[in-house]
Amino acid sequence: MSKKEGKGLKSFNKGFQVPDTYIIIFLVVVVAALLTFLVPKGFYETQDISYMINGVEKTRTVIKDGSFQYLTDDAGNVVTEGVALFSGDGGTGFFNYMYNGIVNSSAIEIIAFLMVVGGAFGIMIRTGAIESGLIGLIRKAKGAEKVLIPVLFVLFSLGGAVFGMGEEALPFTMILCPLFVAVGYDSVIAVLVTYVATQIGFGSSWMNPFSVGIAQGIAGIDVFSGAGFRMVMWVVFTALGCGMTMFYAAKIKKTPTISIAYKTDAYFREQNEKTGIDEGHSFGLGHILVLLTLAATVVWVIWGVMTQGYYMPEIATQFFIMGIVSGVIGVFFKLNDMKLNDIAISFKDGAKDLIGAALVVAMAQGIMQVLGGSDPTTPTVINTIMYNISNALSGVSGAVAAVLMYLFQSVFNFFVVSGTGQAAITMPIMAPLSDLLGVSRQTAVVAFQLGDAFTNLIVPTSGCLIGSLAIAKIEWSNWIKFMWKFLGVLMIGAIITVLIAVGIGF
């Protein structure tokens, strides 16, 4: 770049600078606070329903159809109550959003998961076994890195489809960022083949118990029914996502500087140089034992999720055990000259790298706190917003209604990124509404699952997305510049899928 061009770019940047993720989240909190002054509070009645999963009857509390009511005062007027700037009694206040977001039960679980798993992988990465083993294998395979992309994409998509893999992909992003950078790709690809692949699998799943199973149970249809249609859907969307990822990878391999992460990937390039990844490591028994520990942990995690119902607390502990075992092996075999104190130091360093992401997770949860929370029985602004949007879908054709359902779910996902939570809030309304509009309940579930998952690729309220980007050192604003086309293709595919479902009477 010439000096003149650099000067012009600098002047432009001085005139406009893309806000930091923290600023963007803060502005969203401001909008949420303003809505509390404009939108009256509403609430629903709930009821317990039973549904079957794998032959086991379960019960769940859902919203009772037609039970929405506005909160009224003694005179019968609807109540609009703006959020206070500050709450001194432990309640909800605008400036309390940060602390309340941190201590929120949903946020604190993700934050703890990030810290523990980040520290555990900090220890494992310190041994150098991952880099030595994977890079050495790729170099000996002479171009096998090209095969890694489709293989990993399919595996992670399958994880999302089968057991709702999401947060569990974060540790693997840690592994793959330096790996892909080392072989001439970028950290964006690491996020694509891990987090993005899981969300594509999650959205097109035929048996995810945390989204499809819950939504179908609430909608009153057989759980995991319609699997044939959804399996085809999963194959198509996985192939589509994988193809776009491979196309992007080929472009980056040819011209690395066009990557949105080229500058930030300097961190991984320097890390690789320090650990000698580009020259290759000696690969001994110690490295093999560390990698076997990783493999055993992955199998253990999958077994736990699939058969024991393990979630973040158990999974984090499993990875913590992995970190300790890896550290002991590293010290015993003196991998990368590791000493006993290096176990503690590397754990702290690994956890420290994710503090920024943890704070964003807290702020994202703070948005819901300002809006009153997601409890349907508590008078809140979010209940009223959801009620009025769902009402707007009445009076249109089945095809249009189905597409609008999908778009509604996509937007609502900004506020409630949990698949289970979104199903519990929206499906009790969307299911009976679909009956009135001539849309089958199966199609309503398809609209839900596609809308619930695909926008997870961009919404800053998704702790998993923000965590993945933090690991890859990618700013959310830069990610949007790359992802909007990718997401646009997926959303067009989703709309076509919904229309096909309506057309065949699915």
Side-chain angles (χ1 to χ4, degrees):
M1 179 181 290
S2 68
K3 292 181 179 180
K4 184 177 181 180
E5 289 173 330
K7 183 177 180 181
L9 181 61
K10 185 176 180 181
S11 299
F12 173 79
N13 288 336
K14 187 178 292 186
F16 175 78
Q17 185 177 13
V18 178
D20 185 88
T21 300
Y22 286 12
I23 301 300
I24 293 172
I25 294 290
F26 181 80
L27 293 176
V28 174
V29 176
V30 171
V31 172
L34 292 175
L35 286 175
T36 65
F37 288 90
L38 302 174
V39 180
K41 292 184 174 183
F43 62 95
Y44 294 91
E45 295 178 14
T46 60
Q47 61 184 359
D48 291 335
I49 66 164
S50 299
Y51 58 97
M52 301 294 293
I53 290 185
N54 294 331
V56 178
E57 184 179 17
K58 301 195 177 199
T59 59
R60 187 169 189 83
T61 301
V62 300
I63 294 172
K64 185 182 295 184
D65 184 30
S67 66
F68 179 81
Q69 301 176 57
Y70 286 104
L71 180 66
T72 58
D73 56 22
D74 293 336
N77 300 314
V78 296
V79 174
T80 301
E81 184 180 0
V83 67
L85 284 176
F86 170 77
S87 174
D89 59 0
T92 300
F94 174 77
F95 288 108
N96 298 86
Y97 82 94
M98 174 64 84
Y99 180 82
N100 287 348
I102 292 175
V103 299
N104 176 270
S105 59
S106 298
I108 201 166
E109 192 169 36
I110 296 176
I111 291 170
F113 182 86
L114 289 172
M115 296 292 99
V116 173
V117 175
F121 269 94
I123 298 172
M124 176 162 281
I125 290 172
R126 176 65 176 80
T127 68
I130 296 171
E131 297 87 349
S132 296
L134 293 180
I135 296 298
L137 180 63
I138 287 174
R139 292 188 183 281
K140 290 180 180 179
K142 296 182 180 179
E145 68 271 8
K146 295 179 182 179
V147 180
L148 276 181
I149 294 174
V151 169
L152 290 173
F153 200 100
V154 170
L155 289 176
F156 279 97
S157 178
L158 191 61
V162 174
F163 61 91
M165 190 178 195
E167 296 90 347
E168 300 87 348
L170 296 178
F172 300 99
T173 307
M174 297 180 192
I175 297 172
L176 293 172
C177 279
L179 169 62
F180 279 124
V181 171
V183 296
Y185 293 124
D186 64 1
S187 56
V188 171
I189 296 173
V191 178
L192 288 174
V193 301
T194 53
Y195 176 73
V196 171
T198 64
Q199 297 311 294
I200 289 177
F202 195 98
S204 56
S205 172
W206 66 93
M207 61 168 295
N208 183 348
F210 307 116
S211 63
V212 176
I214 297 298
Q216 289 181 322
I218 293 172
I221 56 180
D222 292 339
V223 173
F224 300 146
S225 58
F229 180 88
R230 289 185 172 86
M231 284 181 181
V232 174
M233 186 169 71
W234 175 78
V235 171
V236 171
F237 278 107
T238 299
L240 183 61
C242 185
M244 288 190 290
T245 299
M246 293 180 70
F247 177 76
Y248 171 76
K251 290 173 60 179
I252 295 301
K253 191 76 168 179
K254 183 178 180 181
T255 314
T257 54
I258 66 173
S259 169
I260 61 165
Y262 182 74
K263 291 184 178 179
T264 53
D265 279 350
Y267 169 84
F268 297 110
R269 288 191 290 270
E270 292 172 4
Q271 184 184 68
N272 291 344
E273 290 175 1
K274 289 179 181 178
T275 58
I277 290 177
D278 290 328
E279 289 77 32
H281 283 301
S282 59
F283 192 68
L285 178 60
H287 299 100
I288 294 173
L289 291 176
V290 171
L291 293 180
L292 287 176
T293 301
L294 173 60
T297 303
V298 170
V299 172
W300 187 21
V301 168
I302 293 174
W303 173 83
V305 172
M306 294 289 291
T307 66
Q308 306 298 312
Y310 288 176
Y311 194 50
M312 282 190 283
E314 295 82 10
I315 294 169
T317 303
Q318 288 173 306
F319 281 115
F320 180 67
I321 294 171
M322 176 202 73
I324 293 176
V325 173
S326 299
V328 171
I329 294 172
V331 172
F332 183 82
F333 287 92
K334 298 182 179 179
L335 303 180
N336 274 354
D337 297 322
M338 278 191 72
K339 297 178 175 59
L340 187 61
N341 282 345
D342 288 327
I343 296 177
I345 294 171
S346 56
F347 182 87
K348 287 187 287 186
D349 288 341
K352 181 174 64 178
D353 286 342
L354 296 180
I355 288 177
L359 291 176
V360 173
V361 170
M363 288 189 284
Q365 290 297 323
I367 295 172
M368 286 301 297
Q369 295 295 307
V370 169
L371 288 172
S374 58
D375 181 8
T377 62
T378 301
T380 64
V381 170
I382 194 64
N383 284 334
T384 303
I385 292 173
M386 194 266 295
Y387 169 73
N388 283 283
I389 292 178
S390 63
N391 274 352
L393 294 174
S394 60
V396 297
S397 69
V400 173
V403 172
L404 290 177
M405 284 181 180
Y406 162 69
L407 295 175
F408 165 70
Q409 297 284 9
S410 297
V411 173
F412 193 77
N413 190 50
F414 179 89
F415 300 100
V416 182
V417 294
S418 164
T420 300
Q422 188 168 339
I425 294 173
T426 64
M427 287 312 298
I429 294 174
M430 289 299 171
L433 182 61
S434 67
D435 295 336
L436 298 174
L437 299 176
V439 178
S440 72
R441 294 196 173 197
Q442 283 282 19
T443 300
V445 173
V446 169
F448 151 73
Q449 63 183 107
L450 292 173
D452 166 58
F454 287 173
T455 47
N456 282 338
L457 305 182
I458 62 166
V459 294
T461 48
S462 169
C464 292
L465 170 64
I466 298 303
S468 295
L469 297 181
I471 291 167
K473 313 298 180 185
I474 301 172
E475 285 290 331
W476 180 80
S477 55
N478 288 333
W479 175 253
I480 291 297
K481 295 176 185 177
F482 163 77
M483 182 48 64
W484 73 269
K485 292 181 181 178
F486 195 105
L487 178 61
V489 173
L490 291 177
M491 291 187 73
I492 291 172
I495 290 172
I496 293 173
T497 300
V498 170
L499 291 175
I500 291 174
V502 173
I504 65 176
F506 177 62

